[in-house]
Amino acid sequence: MNEHRCLICMGSNTDRLKHLSEAREALTATFPDVCFGRLMETEAIGSGFYSPFSNQLAGFTTTLLPDAIHAFFKELERQSGRMPDDKAKGIVKLDIDLLIFDSEVLKPEDMQREYIRKGMEDFPYSR
């Protein structure tokens, strides 16, 4: 089985530290080599969202493919209490996105965000 290198970003604007802490625990249990970057406080991007956000990048290796990783992240978001209509209300209990899978950038727009560029300093292999 091939090991794939992944870079992710997690964010929350509601009970931020609690939700990110729970996500870190679940990620550590699933991906034992996960490494977390610095926790950053940022203003909301776009209108209608509450500020501030807490964001954090993480890197890990896995044999899972992107669809399975995405499904796992969606389950973590659901476990945090995220509801389908939360985003429309400006509430983000937990959002986890797969940014880079091996050398493929999956979220090019996100990669331009200042907090992601700053957070990538903690992950030189992802550049």
Side-chain angles (χ1 to χ4, degrees), residues 13-14 48-50 82 86-93:
N13 72 352
T14 306
F49 290 103
Y50 298 111
R82 184 171 175 171
D86 281 353
K87 205 170 187 180
K89 297 176 186 175
I91 298 168
V92 179
K93 293 177 183 166

Side-chain angles (χ1 to χ4, degrees), residues 11-126:
S12 176
N13 72 352
T14 306
D15 291 328
R16 299 175 292 155
L17 299 181
K18 172 186 173 280
H19 289 125
L20 291 177
S21 176
E22 290 170 352
R24 283 191 300 270
E25 286 178 26
L27 289 164
T28 299
T30 304
F31 308 108
D33 70 340
V34 68
C35 179
F36 298 98
R38 68 190 97 169
L39 189 61
M40 297 172 279
E41 189 171 290
T42 62
E43 292 300 313
I45 296 174
S47 61
F49 290 103
Y50 298 111
S51 284
F53 271 78
S54 289
N55 292 287
Q56 188 171 34
L57 272 62
F60 58 86
T61 58
T62 182
T63 58
L64 296 176
L65 295 176
D67 286 345
I69 296 167
H70 180 74
F72 173 67
F73 292 168
K74 290 301 161 199
E75 180 57 29
L76 290 181
E77 292 171 356
R78 278 190 290 280
Q79 288 175 9
S80 77
R82 184 171 175 171
M83 302 298 288
D85 61 337
D86 281 353
K87 205 170 187 180
K89 297 176 186 175
I91 298 168
V92 179
K93 293 177 183 166
L94 181 64
D95 183 48
I96 307 177
D97 292 314
L98 180 58
L99 301 174
I100 299 175
F101 183 80
D102 287 333
S103 60
E104 183 181 358
V105 175
L106 303 176
K107 297 272 189 172
E109 288 179 18
D110 289 3
M111 300 303 290
Q112 301 307 310
R113 295 180 177 169
E114 184 175 338
Y115 70 90
I116 299 234
R117 291 196 322 263
K118 180 174 228 140
M120 285 182 60
E121 294 170 3
D122 298 333
F123 301 94
Y125 68 84
S126 64

